[in-house]
Amino acid sequence: MESSSLSSLLLFHVCFFLCLAPPLLATSSVVNANTSSNTNTTKHNHIWIGPIGHRLITVDIKGSGHFRSVQDAVDAVPENNRKNVLIQISPGNYVEKVVVPETKPYITFQGGGRESTFVEWHDRACDRGANGQQLRTYRTASVTVYANYFSARNISFKNTAPAPKPGMQGWQAVAFRISGDKAYFSGCGFYGAQDTLCDDAGRHYFKQCYIEGSIDFIFGNGRSMYKDCEVHSIATRFGSIGAHDRNRADEKTGFAFVNCTVTGTGPIYVGRAMGQYSRIVYAYTYFDDLVAHGGWDDWGHVNNNNKTVFFGVYKCWGPGAATVSRDRELDFETAHPFLAKSFVNGRHWIAPSDA
């Protein structure tokens, strides 16, 4: 390639990445990726600690990029990374298990399209790891992210383990686990059956994503907003969408679904109280005719009777909305905190054009 052409290509990639990179708050606070960001202990003294510089890494399964493997590209990012790193992943099926450690923040996975770029693996909770012990749910993830300031665009993540039949144990199979803070997803797909998306800990924003599963297929103790997403059930006998694991009244965690569509097969619960203080809100969301009687499940917490969980609905519609809304309809004042990106403190780290 001639030098002038190479320079033009590099300039294009740098400009392209600048458009993708999320804005970062000028502050000295950093949240540990292995803990939830739900306390108020963060101190802000306005010292810039954000990334400096940019780096492009290309991945192509056919060999025309810097690497053939997504994990190899992640491994090429140095520990304690201080650059915005764009990992550009060409269309293809990348059959591998990927981990982004907490020492590698500011990484973006940019795929070639949700329907053409896939990272997939097949672990189940009952499978055994290298140490001979069962993996259990959280370690089954095809992709696990512990790092802060991770983002993904136009790419899909799968766990291809077969869907469990009713009553089968140990078949939880996570496609993606996000345990870092301030993570952003746009135009992504998440495919699995039981426990597809582990929304584990931290603040997260999902925009125009597709999430598919059967049982508790969005679960964890994240503080997350799902905006303009399609949530699709493949339940064959009985299923559930969200299982939130908030366990204290002072935690700021919860799942907020805004302007989403709920489709597929049922019957399904739209929310379950994985934790004693589970918090899930649906607003301006369409529900197909697949909602189970009662709509919600308190997970059998003794003496709970839904007194400590917070399940709410605001101006939802569709043939299944009446079942979801029964005794759960919120007024504007109560619903308002869950309707905007401020729910995840998004004005500090999500560009207005991305919200």
Side-chain angles (χ1 to χ4, degrees):
M1 181 179 294
E2 296 181 0
S3 59
S4 60
S5 299
L6 179 59
S7 299
S8 299
L9 180 61
L10 290 174
L11 179 62
F12 169 77
H13 282 307
V14 169
C15 294
F16 179 69
F17 180 65
L18 285 172
C19 295
L20 290 178
L24 301 175
L25 177 63
T27 172
S28 64
S29 61
V30 177
V31 181
N32 188 303
N34 284 322
T35 61
S36 177
S37 58
N38 310 318
T39 65
N40 293 318
T41 59
T42 301
K43 295 181 180 179
H44 300 275
N45 55 13
H46 305 287
I47 299 174
W48 177 253
I49 57 142
I52 300 172
H54 303 270
R55 181 182 179 188
L56 172 67
I57 301 175
T58 58
V59 180
D60 189 299
I61 199 168
K62 297 178 181 178
S64 62
H66 296 126
F67 299 99
R68 293 176 181 266
S69 158
V70 177
Q71 186 64 61
D72 285 347
V74 172
D75 292 344
V77 178
E79 299 287 319
N80 304 310
N81 174 55
R82 294 295 304 277
K83 290 185 178 181
N84 275 315
V85 178
L86 173 62
I87 298 179
Q88 188 169 301
I89 305 168
S90 296
N93 281 59
Y94 296 83
V95 183
E96 57 178 309
K97 193 155 179 164
V98 177
V99 176
V100 180
E102 64 177 318
T103 55
K104 299 187 179 186
Y106 314 122
I107 288 177
T108 294
F109 285 2
Q110 171 72 35
R114 176 170 69 83
E115 297 182 351
S116 63
T117 311
F118 300 90
V119 181
E120 62 183 64
W121 198 246
H122 49 258
D123 279 340
R124 302 168 300 168
C126 62
D127 292 338
R128 298 190 180 276
N131 61 0
Q133 302 297 313
Q134 287 191 348
L135 292 174
R136 303 180 68 84
T137 303
Y138 285 75
R139 287 185 290 165
T140 65
S142 301
V143 177
T144 299
V145 175
Y146 296 109
N148 295 341
Y149 294 108
F150 174 85
S151 61
R153 298 173 185 260
N154 304 323
I155 187 171
S156 287
F157 308 98
K158 285 185 176 183
N159 190 310
T160 57
K165 296 179 180 179
M168 298 183 73
Q169 300 295 318
W171 280 59
Q172 297 91 335
V174 178
F176 193 97
R177 174 185 173 185
I178 176 62
S179 301
D181 192 31
K182 298 178 182 176
Y184 180 87
F185 303 85
S186 176
C188 294
F190 303 87
Y191 296 85
Q194 184 173 356
D195 294 356
T196 301
L197 175 56
C198 180
D199 192 340
D200 182 24
R203 289 163 287 185
H204 314 134
Y205 195 92
F206 297 81
K207 180 182 178 181
Q208 296 176 349
C209 292
Y210 176 88
I211 307 157
E212 179 179 287
S214 58
I215 301 170
D216 300 337
F217 59 94
I218 302 172
F219 76 101
N221 195 25
R223 179 178 171 186
S224 302
M225 174 164 284
Y226 295 82
K227 181 76 176 296
D228 303 327
C229 294
E230 181 177 357
V231 180
H232 185 77
S233 167
I234 58 169
T236 57
R237 180 174 175 183
F238 213 93
S240 52
I241 299 173
H244 194 252
D245 197 24
R246 182 170 175 252
N247 284 289
R248 301 192 317 271
D250 62 342
E251 289 185 281
K252 295 182 178 180
T253 58
F255 295 157
F257 297 87
V258 180
N259 199 39
C260 294
T261 59
V262 177
T263 61
T265 56
I268 59 168
Y269 289 121
V270 298
R272 298 218 297 157
M274 185 178 178
Q276 186 77 30
Y277 290 84
S278 176
R279 189 161 67 161
I280 302 174
V281 171
Y282 291 89
Y284 306 115
T285 291
Y286 170 86
F287 288 92
D288 211 345
D289 187 17
L290 47 64
V291 180
H293 177 72
W296 308 83
D297 175 34
D298 69 3
W299 202 281
H301 289 301
V302 178
N303 298 323
N304 187 340
N305 296 322
N306 294 327
K307 293 178 181 178
T308 58
V309 302
F310 186 89
F311 293 151
V313 175
Y314 183 71
K315 293 190 176 181
C316 293
W317 59 291
T323 303
V324 176
S325 303
R326 188 174 296 119
D327 300 324
R328 300 289 181 183
E329 188 69 31
L330 305 176
D331 58 27
F332 176 77
E333 182 177 355
T334 307
H336 183 259
F338 301 91
L339 302 182
K341 65 180 181 180
S342 57
F343 177 63
V344 294
N345 304 128
R347 69 186 182 88
H348 297 302
W349 57 279
I350 302 172
S353 60
D354 282 339

